[in-house]
Amino acid sequence: MSTDQIHRNDADTVLSAQGLVMRFGGITATNNVTLNLKKGARHALIGPNGAGKTTLINLLTGVLQPTEGRITLEGQDITGLAPYLRVQRGMVRTFQINQLFDSLTPLQTLALTVSQHRGLGTKWWQALGRNRQVAERCDQLLAQFHLTEVMNQPTRVLAYGKRRLLEIAIALACEPRVLLLDEPVAGVPAGEREELLQTVAALPAEVSVLLIEHDMDLVFSFANFMTVLVNGTLLTEGTPEEIANDPRVKAVYLGHGEEAHHG
Amino acid sequence: MLTILFDGIAYGMLLFILAVGLAVTMGLMNFINLAHGAFAMAGGYITVLLMQRFGVPFLLCLPLAFIGSALLGGVLERTLYRPLYHKPHLDQVLFSIGLVFMAVASVDYFVGSTQQIIQLPEWLKGRTELGSGDWMLGMGHYRLFIIAVCAALTVGLQYVLAYTRFGSRLRASVDDQRVAAGLGINVNMVFLTTFAVGSGLAGLGGALGAEVLGLDPSFPLKFMVYFLIVVAVGGTSSITGPLLAALLLGIADVAGKYYIPKLGAFIVYSLMIAILIWRPQGLFVRKGGK
Amino acid sequence: MAELLKVENLRAGYGQAVVLNDVSLSLDEGQTLALLGRNGTGKTTLINTLAGATRQHGGSIMLGGIALHKLPSHERAAAGIGWVPQERNIFKSLTVHENLTAVARPGPWNPDRVYKMFARLAERKTNLGTQLSGGEQQMLAVGRALVLNPRLLLLDEPLEGLAPIIVEELLRAIARITRDEGLSAIIVEQHPQAILAISHRAVVLDHGTVVHSGSAEALREQPELLDRLLGVARA
Amino acid sequence: MNAPQQSLLNDSRFRPWEPVLWLLAFAAPVLVPSHASIINEIAIVALFAVSLDLILGYTGIVSLGHAAFFGMGGYAAALFAKLVMPDPLVGLAVGIVTATLLGAACSFTIMRGSDLTRLMVTLGVGLILLELANKLDWLTGGADGLQGVVMGPLLGQFEFDLSGRTAAWYSLTVLLALFVLLRRVVHSPFGATLKAIRDNRLRAMAIGIPVNRKLAVVYTLAAGVAGAAGALMTQTTGFASLDLFEFHRSADVMLILVIGGTGWLYGGVAGAIVFKLMQDALSSITPQYWTFWIGLFLVVLVLVGRERLIRPWTWFSRGGKA
Amino acid sequence: QDNTFKIGLILPMTGQQATTGRQIEAAARLYMAQNGDTVAGKKIQLIVKDDTSLPDATRRLAQELVVNDKVNVLAGFGITPSALATAPIATQSKTPMVVMAAATSSITQASPYVVRTSFTLPQVSVALADWAPKNGIKKVVTLVSDYGPGIDAEKYFKERLIFNGGQVTEALRVPLRGPDFAPFLQKVRDAKPDALFVFVPSGAGAAVMKQFAERGLDKAGIKLIGTGDVTDDDQLNDMGDVAVGVVTSHHYSAAHPSALNKKFVEAFSKANKGLRPNFMAVGGYDGMRVIYEALKISKGQGGGDALLAGMKGQIFESPRGKMFIDAQTRDVVQDIYLRKVEKKDGQLYNVEFDVIKDVKDPGKAK
Ligand SMILES: Nc1ncnc2c1ncn2[C@@H]1O[C@H](COP(=O)(O)OP(=O)(O)OP(=O)(O)O)[C@@H](O)[C@H]1O
Ligand SMILES: Nc1ncnc2c1ncn2[C@@H]1O[C@H](COP(=O)(O)OP(=O)(O)OP(=O)(O)O)[C@@H](O)[C@H]1O
Ligand SMILES: [Mg+2]
Ligand SMILES: [Mg+2]
């Protein structure tokens, strides 16, 4: 990752996708999408259900291989890179549908994630948690995500909301430089939603965040840049105000009574 | 040449009927029932005993073998299997192996450990030969009979599973028992029926196969591997998968033994490994299935 | 209007654990009840108990004269329950269409009518359950409950993950269905305002017990009370 | 030390009953000298089961071909003793190394596919090795078995005696050494990543775990341990035959492990003790029909549940089904 | 304690070889019932163990029997590897080991304490290879199960047949687990030999025979010959008419026309619900006889070497006919009969029509 390589690209673009296409049989879920995530961005990706948002994240993180197109991370081509290597380069995601380690406790889950991230994942001679910094970081994360009192229960029996919090805590435990959030607050009660996004927003300024979310209150309070996908195609991009006032976005996505949410 | 192909098909068909019940319980019901072979054995012994002790004609024995094993399967499903559906797979393995052990020892105790031999009716004993030379096709009548019965069953099964509501209700019950029940599907009934039919088919297979494969108390253990191969290679998401897998296995096995007898079992196992490494979900999975 | 649902002293949970304690509530025909509460207070457990998917320890559930608590889960659908589980639980090895037909019961709602309501589903008719986007799964879960032609719809966070425009549409649809077809509904939601607007009654749960029960409208007009009940102030 | 660290470390702490168990095991050949040879066999099978637990219990890979490594280690050690030198420890090392190499070579076969696929692939590998050993009869003795394996004394001092006591201690020592090693492994961060893979591969990848590499490593490790068990087997019996590779050996060890419970390491040990003692007792009571009773035991074990079986007083209170 | 004489009988009682174990155990018990359980002042005690055909289990059981139960004689041994695995124990503990079933030639060489009362496959195969060319069979295809005994049978049959001017056009080996003989038989049919020589372990014989007929090999003029395992008395009756006319060579037939055998067969089937004794049973029966006599000869001393000395060189009439234990090789020397399956009073029997006297194991001749 040499510095001059980064400079050759658009200096502050961290993650960039060019001309991505993804076809499932006859369905084109992603249709020639080009997207640039700037350093430190708070970037929201919105669009109707089935527009291809999750698919796009799957492509970026390597869960799916694009039919066409190129992905670069910090100036380097990662189109064919294995998913775990992308994580090691600092690109971390959350899942729309919880993906947790059901038989482990939240504490174990986080300890394992932190250890793995700090390069202790191959250590086999010392116990998990022997490392002091790891334990401290876990303590911090547990407190931050209100998981301390359930830290020793198997993840399997946690209520949905707690599971959701753990899902996000795992991603943050990886100390991402690029964070991709797929509907992170789905299932989180109203009160904790804002708090959660504040946690995300409070990440160091150089961390770039791409957020998918249908809760427009949150999106508009969080994002400083937005991209709208419709039917796999990029409809428009712009600042939150531009998007909020775009009649096309209103027609296919926002609807009219956006106030229904505010009440 | 053709004769070998014919024999392979008959052998494959037989394997298919024996294994299809397992494909259903394992693939559709997500239950690892290693005792499947025990139901096949039950069918075989029902036939043998009826014929030997009571002189019941062979053709009548076949449906009886089906019904007998299906009843047995149904009763066991209600009493023993049902509590195990939501247990881990390994517990299911343990349980069903336990059943096999019990079945093996019981048959041994009541019937004895010798090979049982079935006397086919005369009209099934003959053989028809067509053509000559390389293209000669010799068809044992019994094998022809097996192919016919199995083909009919396959078509019927495929129809039920793919085109009827029962099929989709079954798959729904397997995907999520709790929610399926909450949405009005009588999961217990669906499972009971399926299990009974699967066991019945195994029993029928056992009855048909006793002649070709032999029948003794170790039957369920001896053929377990073959059943598993059929299900693994065929994938578990449809009926056609295991069918094609069984045919492939049958033909490869027969042809392998004919053309390269020295390599014996190598052929089957290497083929299996190659296929599974190439297509880990089995050869014939539904497109896009997970 | 006639009373449709009457729940009395309900106690239920998972295994030995009791999550719901003495929950009582009632609902009239054609009315909608908003079920609110913080995370992990037992909303889903209540919904699941009505659908017969938890372990019931005591109490009774009467639905239009039928003792629901005595019926096994699968007979409750016939008695008039239509359930949208929280985690959607689409049957993953069935196609969209099969998901609907496998459970459909005769009545005004049929798959075609569902397709009319959610045009997106019609386009994905032959996709398997797992091949749907999150929102599409949500639509399918709602559609699947409707084709049961229930008398009481149980909607566990039905708006989650839906685009705003669909949310609007769905809320309107629910209001219309309850009004025009005499259906009742219990809706669990994280957006109390949106849901109270179309509900008649509201119940708030905390730690498995009912801490507030009354008209939806009244609660809507007392945002401070609502916030206090939901513990929003904590944030 | 904060609370999380405390509770994390708690998991890996030795429980008081553990040293007691091992002391008892080592005392057993003296306490019940007449059963030394079955103690030896139990130790070997336990080691084999523990190695299977490593892949089945900790990474969720179902293997029905684990006997491949058992057999490989066994034949390697036996051939080494016969052709090169009779020292048991060197032979053991040779067995372990050979099986490890084989494990490394096979590890790529288990990366893809479903449980069933892996089950069949592992099974196939085992059976192919069996055929191979059968065909290479000039080396392995084919179906008659490999004879003429004579072991030298252990550490140059302790002869393998007819009562089987030396053999029992030898096997127990190897079991203990490898067990402690594996115990460390599963409680380490490395072990935790394995459990993560078992629970959810997709997520494991998404937190940067190189799933395939980890699987390969643990599979190879398990193969080595199985090889050690096989080597102990042929060394203490002075004989190697094809059935080392047989399917039923893989199946038996899986049964044993599942009886004791997976994902716990002690499961293999417990299962080996229970299964072997029961088999021995039953088959001397009724040599013809003992399988029936074993089968009944398995069925009851599953229906009643492992935990409840050892607490009979809970049988008649209502079970905790959801 | 001191007055008992213990025989540790290790047999496969479960699994695919279970019939072997049953027959032998039944025969051993019959011998004890007929000859009393006190010999030379000692009370005979029989300890039966199931080794499930696993060599390491056989070995462990033998070890335990020797160390814990202090048995005077080890006996049984269903399959070759089991016998071979146990041989070192016999040597180390100086315990005679009477092999009652396993039939690979080399077993007696594995320990100086091994004595065999069954038979060896070379013995019977060679006899058949002597008979065949004299009866118009020149071109033969062999079909054997692919394991020790099968390979023995193939090798010795082939050598002797060629020596006698015949030829083996193809040698087929069937995997032990190969459930379907069809392709092999098809191959035989296409090769059109005069006869097919078969060895398969007892139990699989019926399948070969039926498929032989079904494939029309008999109509194509191919004769079926084999070792007596194929027409095992245990099952012969169930095989039906396809078996009629099959020629085999073996050391024992339940139809052996001697008074002693008649008595044996009757007593055996009376004691075992009508079961017919097969060659396994006679191996067990004679094995017990050898042990009893050795004990008598050694005057009740239970010592291994004394017993062994008493076993060597025993000559006696067995239900199978005359046999003796070669003092040199400790292997059985016996008459080998050529038999043809015939129907007598509605039952199928291997009826002996020729005999080759005093056949030694050709495997030792080299
Ligand atoms: N494996 C697949 N096979 C076929 N079609 C698929 C597959 N995965 C996704 N699709 C289709 O691709 C489209 C895009 O799905 P995606 O999950 O990316 O939508 P989304 O924008 O995340 O929607 P939502 O907001 O509802 O989560 C959907 O219409 C879906 O049906
Ligand atoms: N399967 C289960 N086994 C044991 N306990 C459970 C199970 N599911 C839920 N619980 C417990 O029951 C309590 C209530 O959970 P429930 O899911 O009903 O809450 P909820 O109000 O729906 O929360 P959310 O808003 O997060 O969906 C929680 O404490 C949870 O831990
Ligand atoms: Mg999505
Ligand atoms: Mg909930």
Side-chain angles (χ1 to χ4, degrees):
Chain A
M1 214 186 324
S2 66
T3 35
D4 50 45
Q5 240 174 332
I6 296 177
H7 288 302
R8 235 180 290 131
N9 277 285
D10 187 354
D12 49 349
T13 296
V14 185
L15 176 67
S16 133
Q18 284 126 33
L20 284 188
V21 177
M22 183 72 213
R23 292 194 195 93
F24 297 107
I27 299 172
T28 308
T30 308
N31 189 5
N32 197 18
V33 170
T34 295
L35 183 108
N36 288 307
L37 189 63
K38 299 267 191 306
K39 185 164 198 159
R42 299 291 180 262
H43 190 144
L45 181 61
I46 62 171
N49 296 117
K53 304 181 294 293
T54 302
T55 306
L56 185 60
I57 296 240
N58 284 339
L59 290 171
L60 293 175
T61 53
V63 174
L64 295 172
Q65 271 299 312
T67 322
E68 286 167 31
R70 230 165 70 88
I71 305 167
T72 51
L73 177 65
E74 294 177 333
Q76 288 186 328
D77 191 326
I78 57 162
T79 316
L81 205 63
Y84 74 90
L85 291 174
R86 304 184 196 207
V87 179
Q88 290 178 0
R89 294 188 183 195
M91 180 164 71
V92 181
R93 71 175 293 187
T94 64
F95 290 85
Q96 182 171 5
I97 301 193
N98 287 340
Q99 302 289 343
L100 300 170
F101 305 125
D102 273 345
S103 68
L104 304 186
T105 66
L107 173 59
Q108 285 168 338
T109 305
L110 291 177
L112 135 80
T113 312
V114 174
S115 305
Q116 172 69 31
H117 180 71
R118 306 218 162 152
L120 307 175
T122 50
K123 275 226 161 78
W124 57 266
W125 58 90
Q126 71 173 203
L128 181 68
R130 172 66 68 202
N131 185 304
R132 212 179 155 71
Q133 282 94 336
V134 170
E136 265 159 21
R137 177 79 180 123
C138 289
D139 198 20
Q140 230 175 355
L141 283 165
L142 288 169
Q144 192 176 2
F145 287 90
H146 307 295
L147 289 167
T148 310
E149 76 260 42
V150 295
M151 73 179 182
N152 285 323
Q153 288 176 20
T155 304
R156 187 181 337 115
V157 306
L158 299 184
Y160 185 79
K162 294 283 180 208
R163 292 167 59 89
R164 198 67 210 158
L165 291 172
L166 182 57
E167 170 78 33
I168 295 154
I170 293 176
L172 288 193
C174 293
E175 287 161 37
R177 273 173 289 143
V178 176
L179 181 60
L180 312 176
L181 298 165
D182 196 352
E183 302 197 20
V185 299
V188 178
E192 283 171 39
R193 284 175 174 228
E194 283 80 22
E195 189 191 344
L196 215 153
L197 272 192
Q198 273 157 22
T199 311
V200 173
L203 285 170
E206 68 271 16
V207 176
S208 324
V209 182
L210 181 67
L211 169 78
I212 299 179
E213 185 51 65
H214 287 299
D215 184 333
M216 286 304 116
D217 294 352
L218 288 178
V219 169
F220 283 112
S221 68
F222 173 81
N224 52 24
F225 195 75
M226 295 174 77
T227 299
V228 185
L229 275 185
V230 175
N231 276 331
T233 318
L234 199 135
L235 181 73
T236 177
E237 287 187 307
T239 63
E241 295 84 74
E242 287 164 11
I243 298 296
N245 298 319
D246 188 323
R248 287 175 303 166
V249 180
K250 273 197 173 157
V252 297
Y253 184 68
L254 294 177
H256 324 283
E258 207 248 312
E259 312 73 55
H261 274 275
H262 301 279
Chain B
M1 246 287 289
L2 285 179
T3 309
I4 289 297
L5 192 64
F6 172 81
D7 286 343
I9 292 176
Y11 186 40
M13 281 285 195
L14 194 58
L15 283 180
F16 171 69
I17 286 300
L18 280 165
V20 68
L22 187 65
V24 170
T25 39
M26 222 147 122
L28 296 180
M29 292 170 65
N30 198 21
F31 186 93
I32 312 273
N33 180 23
L34 295 185
H36 187 72
F39 294 103
M41 176 169 74
Y45 273 98
I46 289 174
T47 309
V48 166
L49 294 182
L50 284 178
M51 286 177 72
Q52 280 178 0
R53 308 247 162 111
F54 304 100
V56 180
F58 180 69
L59 267 192
L60 186 60
C61 285
L62 292 182
L64 289 178
F66 177 89
I67 293 168
S69 325
L71 275 179
L72 183 67
V75 169
L76 285 180
E77 202 273 346
R78 279 227 74 133
T79 50
L80 296 179
Y81 278 89
R82 186 167 299 167
L84 294 176
Y85 286 139
H86 45 254
K87 291 234 173 154
H89 279 170
L90 289 175
D91 275 359
Q92 298 171 353
V93 167
L94 207 60
F95 169 81
S96 50
I97 281 276
L99 276 192
V100 173
F101 282 173
M102 290 172 72
V104 168
S106 309
V107 168
D108 192 350
Y109 182 78
F110 288 110
V111 191
S113 59
T114 47
Q115 277 276 346
Q116 296 294 329
I117 295 156
I118 286 183
Q119 292 303 337
L120 292 177
E122 277 311 314
W123 60 274
L124 281 176
K125 275 187 181 165
R127 183 178 170 83
T128 306
E129 294 188 351
L130 305 170
S132 62
D134 271 357
W135 296 104
M136 188 189 79
L137 171 60
M139 296 184 295
H141 290 169
Y142 186 60
R143 278 164 203 260
L144 207 55
F145 177 71
I146 289 181
I147 294 182
V149 172
C150 297
L153 283 173
T154 311
V155 173
L157 271 178
Q158 175 65 21
Y159 175 77
V160 169
L161 287 179
Y163 300 107
T164 64
R165 208 160 105 122
F166 183 82
S168 44
R169 291 185 146 227
L170 170 60
R171 280 180 281 138
S173 307
V174 174
D175 280 350
D176 195 326
Q177 256 193 66
R178 204 173 59 101
V179 172
L183 293 172
I185 297 176
N186 188 345
V187 176
N188 286 344
M189 202 58 211
V190 169
F191 279 0
L192 176 66
T193 317
T194 312
F195 196 91
V197 172
S199 312
L201 284 174
L204 182 63
L208 282 171
E211 163 76 11
V212 180
L213 306 175
L215 181 66
D216 65 67
S218 61
F219 185 91
L221 291 169
K222 244 193 312 195
F223 289 96
M224 194 157 76
V225 174
Y226 277 79
F227 300 158
L228 287 174
I229 294 180
V230 169
V231 178
V233 173
T236 48
S237 52
S238 70
I239 292 295
T240 33
L243 173 67
L244 293 177
L247 288 178
L248 187 72
L249 180 68
I251 295 171
D253 194 48
V254 172
K257 283 175 186 161
Y258 183 84
Y259 290 107
I260 9 182
K262 293 245 154 46
L263 288 183
F266 270 130
I267 304 268
V268 174
Y269 301 130
S270 316
L271 190 71
M272 176 186 82
I273 293 185
I275 289 179
L276 289 181
I277 288 180
W278 169 50
R279 296 287 299 267
Q281 302 298 342
L283 255 190
F284 313 97
V285 276
R286 269 222 272 193
K287 272 266 161 55
K290 221 193 161 183
Chain C
M1 223 177 271
E3 187 180 73
L4 177 69
L5 177 76
K6 185 157 189 67
V7 174
E8 280 180 324
N9 303 7
L10 191 63
R11 282 161 44 78
Y14 305 91
Q16 299 297 342
V18 177
V19 176
L20 292 181
N21 261 316
D22 274 330
V23 170
S24 302
L25 50 87
S26 65
L27 185 64
D28 287 346
E29 250 169 53
Q31 292 214 325
T32 304
L33 181 143
L35 184 58
L36 307 171
R38 279 188 282 146
N39 251 158
T41 52
K43 305 181 296 294
T44 299
T45 310
L46 176 56
I47 294 285
N48 291 0
T49 307
L50 295 180
T54 61
R55 177 134 174 235
Q56 195 179 327
H57 293 276
S60 67
I61 310 168
M62 301 297 293
L63 183 77
I66 305 172
L68 219 51
H69 55 276
K70 292 193 180 138
L71 295 183
S73 187
H74 67 92
E75 284 174 23
R76 297 189 188 191
I81 293 280
W83 179 31
V84 180
Q86 180 169 10
E87 302 211 23
R88 290 148 195 168
N89 303 72
I90 298 304
F91 300 128
K92 55 184 188 293
S93 54
L94 269 59
T95 62
V96 168
H97 192 63
E98 284 170 335
N99 260 289
L100 295 175
T101 53
V103 298
R105 301 182 159 274
W109 281 97
N110 55 24
D112 284 334
R113 205 168 152 200
V114 171
Y115 294 140
K116 268 204 208 92
M117 185 156 120
F118 299 117
R120 187 82 206 173
L121 289 183
E123 294 165 29
R124 293 283 179 272
K125 219 165 158 175
T126 55
N127 274 34
L128 291 184
T130 40
Q131 299 169 340
L132 296 181
S133 82
E136 289 162 351
Q137 293 190 17
Q138 187 63 53
M139 298 175 202
L140 181 55
V142 174
R144 195 176 56 177
L146 284 175
V147 293
L148 286 169
N149 289 297
R151 298 159 72 188
L152 174 65
L153 260 181
L154 306 174
L155 301 160
D156 199 348
E157 309 204 3
L159 306 181
E160 204 53 75
L162 291 182
I165 193 166
I166 308 274
V167 167
E168 239 171 69
E169 222 171 275
L170 186 64
L171 282 175
R172 246 181 284 131
I174 292 170
R176 197 176 56 235
I177 295 165
T178 46
R179 193 182 57 233
D180 299 351
E181 303 184 22
L183 237 83
S184 306
I186 298 182
I187 309 183
V188 178
E189 243 320 306
Q190 302 286 3
H191 299 283
Q193 293 302 346
I195 213 67
L196 287 173
I198 63 156
S199 302
H200 304 91
R201 298 181 39 73
V203 165
V204 183
L205 284 186
D206 197 10
H207 285 100
T209 53
V210 176
V211 292
H212 175 92
S213 171
S215 100
E217 198 150 353
L219 195 58
R220 209 153 87 94
E221 280 153 14
Q222 295 170 272
E224 338 66 62
L225 174 63
L226 185 60
D227 281 357
R228 187 158 52 76
L229 287 170
L230 299 183
V232 171
R234 252 179 355 127
Chain D
M1 200 185 281
N2 56 18
Q5 185 165 24
Q6 195 95 49
S7 74
L8 279 175
L9 291 177
N10 250 343
D11 295 341
S12 58
R13 202 152 284 151
F14 271 99
R15 311 267 176 265
W17 56 265
E18 290 182 76
V20 178
L21 178 88
W22 288 104
L23 276 177
L24 270 180
F26 274 88
V30 184
L31 297 180
V32 277
S34 59
H35 287 81
S37 54
I38 192 149
I39 292 169
N40 176 42
E41 196 168 314
I42 290 176
I44 293 171
V45 173
L47 183 59
F48 190 25
V50 167
S51 86
L52 183 66
D53 198 14
L54 201 57
I55 54 174
L56 181 61
Y58 287 89
T59 49
I61 296 172
V62 194
S63 168
L64 264 186
H66 212 46
F69 309 115
F70 186 80
M72 196 65 178
Y75 265 96
L79 283 171
F80 182 79
K82 185 174 172 181
L83 304 176
V84 187
M85 63 178 282
D87 185 76
L89 290 179
V90 184
L92 178 67
V94 169
I96 295 178
V97 169
T98 323
T100 308
L101 291 178
L102 180 68
C106 293
S107 60
F108 77 96
T109 61
I110 47 120
M111 310 247 163
R112 305 195 322 143
S114 63
D115 280 0
L116 187 62
T117 318
R118 279 193 287 265
L119 184 142
M120 294 317 294
V121 169
T122 51
L123 174 79
V125 170
L127 293 175
I128 285 187
L129 280 178
L130 170 69
E131 284 298 315
L132 211 62
N134 189 11
K135 291 277 163 0
L136 297 177
D137 46 8
W138 51 270
L139 182 67
T140 61
D144 293 345
L146 181 71
Q147 300 158 65
V149 181
V150 181
M151 294 314 298
L154 197 57
L155 299 171
Q157 307 216 7
F158 307 102
E159 284 285 348
F160 286 102
D161 54 342
L162 200 57
S163 72
R165 245 191 274 180
T166 315
W169 274 317
Y170 175 43
S171 300
L172 280 171
T173 312
V174 176
L175 170 65
L176 177 59
L178 290 174
F179 189 91
V180 170
L181 181 83
L182 295 185
R183 199 176 175 293
R184 270 212 104 103
V185 170
V186 300
H187 286 121
S188 69
F190 174 78
T193 57
L194 296 181
K195 292 182 221 167
I197 292 170
R198 172 192 65 194
D199 279 5
N200 192 333
R201 267 186 198 221
L202 183 62
R203 189 47 186 248
M205 256 186 258
I207 59 170
I209 299 177
V211 172
N212 284 348
R213 195 173 338 138
K214 298 263 162 162
L215 287 180
V217 170
V218 70
Y219 196 67
T220 307
L221 179 62
V225 178
L232 290 178
M233 178 67 111
T234 53
Q235 289 185 331
T236 55
T237 58
F239 186 78
S241 62
L242 290 183
D243 67 275
L244 290 177
F245 287 111
E246 284 239 44
F247 164 68
H248 70 78
R249 206 174 277 276
S250 308
D252 276 0
V253 75
M254 183 140 121
L255 279 191
I256 285 171
L257 175 61
V258 180
I259 288 175
T262 56
W264 181 48
L265 286 190
Y266 276 104
V269 179
I273 296 174
V274 171
F275 189 81
K276 279 287 159 189
L277 288 183
M278 190 147 63
Q279 178 179 11
D280 195 53
L282 286 175
S283 70
S284 61
I285 299 170
T286 158
Q288 290 190 19
Y289 304 113
W290 61 271
T291 49
F292 180 86
W293 302 106
I294 290 266
L296 188 65
F297 167 73
L298 297 181
V299 168
V300 171
L301 178 75
V302 176
L303 286 180
V304 176
R306 232 167 258 110
E307 291 76 31
R308 293 214 288 150
L309 198 64
I310 44 178
R311 297 194 193 89
W313 56 93
T314 59
W315 288 1
F316 300 103
S317 62
R318 281 196 58 197
K321 267 181 277 164
Chain E
Q1 164 70 28
D2 241 353
N3 235 16
T4 57
F5 181 87
K6 293 183 185 167
I7 302 173
L9 191 60
I10 310 176
L11 290 167
M13 302 299 290
T14 54
Q16 287 187 50
Q17 306 289 329
T19 46
T20 303
R22 300 304 156 74
Q23 288 268 358
I24 294 180
E25 190 198 343
R29 296 212 183 276
L30 176 65
Y31 190 87
M32 290 175 67
Q34 287 176 339
N35 295 281
D37 57 2
T38 322
V39 180
K42 296 241 174 179
K43 186 148 173 61
I44 307 281
Q45 190 192 343
L46 195 64
I47 306 173
V48 181
K49 296 275 181 190
D50 174 24
D51 67 3
T52 62
S53 299
L54 277 184
D56 55 273
T58 321
R59 186 186 149 107
R60 177 173 62 76
L61 290 168
Q63 199 168 345
E64 286 180 354
L65 285 170
V66 168
V67 175
N68 301 343
D69 299 299
K70 313 236 166 355
V71 295
N72 303 75
V73 177
L74 291 167
F77 308 103
I79 58 169
T80 303
S82 289
L84 290 178
T86 315
I89 300 268
T91 316
Q92 213 174 341
S93 66
K94 299 193 192 328
T95 311
M97 171 172 154
V98 179
V99 175
M100 295 170 163
T104 305
S105 178
S106 62
I107 293 173
T108 44
Q109 287 151 327
S111 159
Y113 286 86
V114 174
V115 172
R116 172 153 44 198
T117 61
S118 53
F119 72 110
T120 75
L121 274 161
Q123 240 173 8
V124 292
S125 319
V126 163
L128 199 60
D130 282 338
W131 172 83
K134 285 184 229 150
N135 290 275
I137 297 173
K138 298 274 184 216
K139 260 173 60 185
V140 180
V141 172
T142 62
L143 186 149
V144 301
S145 283
D146 192 3
Y147 73 129
I151 292 160
D152 262 9
E154 177 192 290
K155 179 169 154 218
Y156 287 96
F157 179 82
K158 189 169 170 183
E159 266 176 18
R160 184 63 68 99
L161 190 73
I162 292 170
F163 177 79
N164 288 333
Q167 80 188 96
V168 169
T169 51
E170 189 139 21
L172 301 172
R173 292 183 184 173
V174 199
L176 253 185
R177 255 181 305 269
D180 189 14
F181 292 99
F184 296 100
L185 292 172
Q186 186 62 37
K187 201 155 175 89
V188 174
R189 186 177 164 153
D190 296 345
K192 297 197 183 63
D194 298 330
L196 169 68
F197 169 81
V198 179
F199 163 79
V200 289
S202 75
V208 178
M209 211 112 55
K210 289 181 111 171
Q211 296 189 9
F212 184 86
E214 192 210 311
R215 224 138 264 277
L217 272 74
D218 48 349
K219 300 206 183 67
I222 302 170
K223 288 208 181 70
L224 180 63
I225 58 177
T227 65
D229 311 72
V230 180
T231 55
D232 187 348
D233 273 307
D234 202 26
Q235 289 190 19
L236 186 55
N237 240 335
D238 294 330
M239 292 185 192
D241 293 343
V242 287
V244 171
V246 173
V247 173
T248 54
S249 65
H250 223 208
H251 58 291
Y252 177 69
S253 157
H256 179 67
S258 76
L260 182 64
N261 184 45
K262 265 209 187 84
K263 202 176 124 217
F264 170 66
V265 173
E266 259 165 36
F268 188 94
S269 65
K270 209 167 122 214
N272 296 286
K273 297 189 242 163
L275 187 66
R276 196 194 277 184
N278 68 358
F279 60 97
M280 293 296 180
V282 83
Y285 190 77
D286 292 339
M288 289 300 284
R289 195 247 177 220
V290 167
I291 296 170
Y292 266 50
E293 291 306 313
L295 186 57
K296 279 183 206 159
I297 295 169
S298 69
K299 308 223 166 46
Q301 292 171 6
D305 288 311
L307 281 173
L308 189 69
M311 289 179 186
K312 288 183 187 170
Q314 282 192 28
I315 302 187
F316 59 97
E317 193 191 338
S318 132
R320 66 181 91 175
K322 200 183 85 188
M323 68 177 272
F324 88 94
I325 305 292
D326 188 327
Q328 220 97 66
T329 62
R330 289 159 279 106
D331 216 334
V332 55
V333 177
Q334 57 194 335
D335 297 348
I336 300 296
Y337 304 89
L338 289 151
R339 313 95 50 91
K340 190 182 240 150
V341 177
E342 284 174 19
K343 207 164 211 160
K344 285 202 318 198
D345 339 312
Q347 302 240 22
L348 291 179
Y349 282 102
N350 288 303
V351 176
E352 295 166 356
F353 64 86
D354 201 352
V355 57
I356 300 171
K357 291 271 180 201
D358 297 334
V359 181
K360 278 193 170 185
D361 174 30
K364 307 280 157 43
K366 290 181 298 173

